[in-house]
Amino acid sequence: MMRTALACAATAAALLAASSASAQDGPQIAWNVGLFSDYVFRGFSQTDEEAAIQGGVDLTAGSFYAGAWASNVDFGDDTEAEVDLYGGFRTETGGFAVDVGVVAYLYVEAPDGADYDYVEFKAAASRAIGPVTAGAVVFYSPDFFGLDEEATYVEGNLAFTPADKWTVSGAVGYQALDVNDDYTTWNAGVAYALTENVAIDVRYHDTDVDGPLSEDRFVGALKFFF
């Protein structure tokens, strides 16, 4: 039962949107919709290994951004969906792209007393050198999902563009928890832009946790950007 955040491709798209918005007058709005064979968050399936439909909207005004995102989930109870609300500030300094923000994870129809809802604070930095972009991100929650209270997630990620329309990316993360056991997760995949607004992504996920929802798996996705 570990829920989740946004994929590398979505993050890259958001950063591109922010860069574009900085060069234009007035706020910019971008929409995204995705069809996924599974919804995996930090190595754990959030949909009991079933398909997911996800979508979101981002508003960017200069260096500031805010947005909302949602997905169906299946925790084996009455919970129907996850809704994320987020906002933050992006800038560039010394050749690094910097992003600080906050994310609220909310669960529709969660059982009373489940204590699923929580908030994370985020700090991220990345640097592009030619076709390679390397980055790191830290998420901290003072009151995490379910039984856990304080929790910290640290991730290093790498993306490579070997040719036009192609992106190869991967990440390794460590989730520290105060009740459940800490664990490591990793993923790697390839994305291809079919058009300016449509992309496909095939990604491998795994963890060092034994269990049906955390075992290794491939996830395919079809994403639309507007």
Side-chain angles (χ1 to χ4, degrees), residues 4 8 16 19 31-32 47 67 69 72 82 86 103 110 114 142 145 154 170 175 177 185 198 207:
T4 186
C8 296
L16 288 173
S19 175
W31 301 82
N32 64 84
T47 48
W69 177 93
N72 61 293
E82 172 190 338
Y86 52 89
V103 186
F145 180 87
V154 181
Q175 179 72 71
L177 303 166
T185 180
V198 183
T207 73

Side-chain angles (χ1 to χ4, degrees), residues 166-193:
W166 289 93
T167 302
V168 181
S169 62
V172 177
Y174 182 77
Q175 179 72 71
L177 303 166
D178 66 352
V179 175
N180 289 295
D181 292 337
D182 301 348
Y183 70 94
T184 301
T185 180
W186 54 92
N187 71 80
V190 178
Y192 178 74

Side-chain angles (χ1 to χ4, degrees), residues 47-121:
T47 48
D48 196 22
E49 302 183 298
E50 297 296 332
I53 300 177
Q54 304 176 352
V57 58
D58 292 278
L59 173 65
T60 305
S63 295
F64 295 92
Y65 67 90
W69 177 93
S71 174
N72 61 293
V73 297
D74 185 353
F75 296 155
D77 54 27
D78 292 333
T79 309
E80 295 181 352
E82 172 190 338
V83 177
D84 299 349
L85 304 177
Y86 52 89
F89 177 83
R90 297 188 184 99
T91 188
E92 186 173 329
T93 179
F96 287 87
V98 178
D99 180 351
V100 292
V102 60
V103 186
Y105 303 88
L106 310 174
Y107 295 88
V108 180
E109 298 297 330
D112 292 339
D115 196 21
Y116 288 165
D117 296 351
Y118 68 98
V119 172
E120 283 188 321
F121 299 94

Side-chain angles (χ1 to χ4, degrees), residues 157-221:
N157 50 68
L158 192 69
F160 171 58
T161 306
D164 186 39
K165 299 183 179 182
W166 289 93
T167 302
V168 181
S169 62
V172 177
Y174 182 77
Q175 179 72 71
L177 303 166
D178 66 352
V179 175
N180 289 295
D181 292 337
D182 301 348
Y183 70 94
T184 301
T185 180
W186 54 92
N187 71 80
V190 178
Y192 178 74
L194 297 171
T195 71
E196 290 185 356
N197 304 101
V198 183
I200 55 174
D201 185 286
V202 177
R203 189 159 301 275
Y204 172 82
H205 297 265
D206 199 6
T207 73
D208 61 356
V209 180
D210 292 330
L213 299 182
S214 58
E215 63 188 5
D216 63 323
R217 71 196 65 224
F218 283 94
V219 175

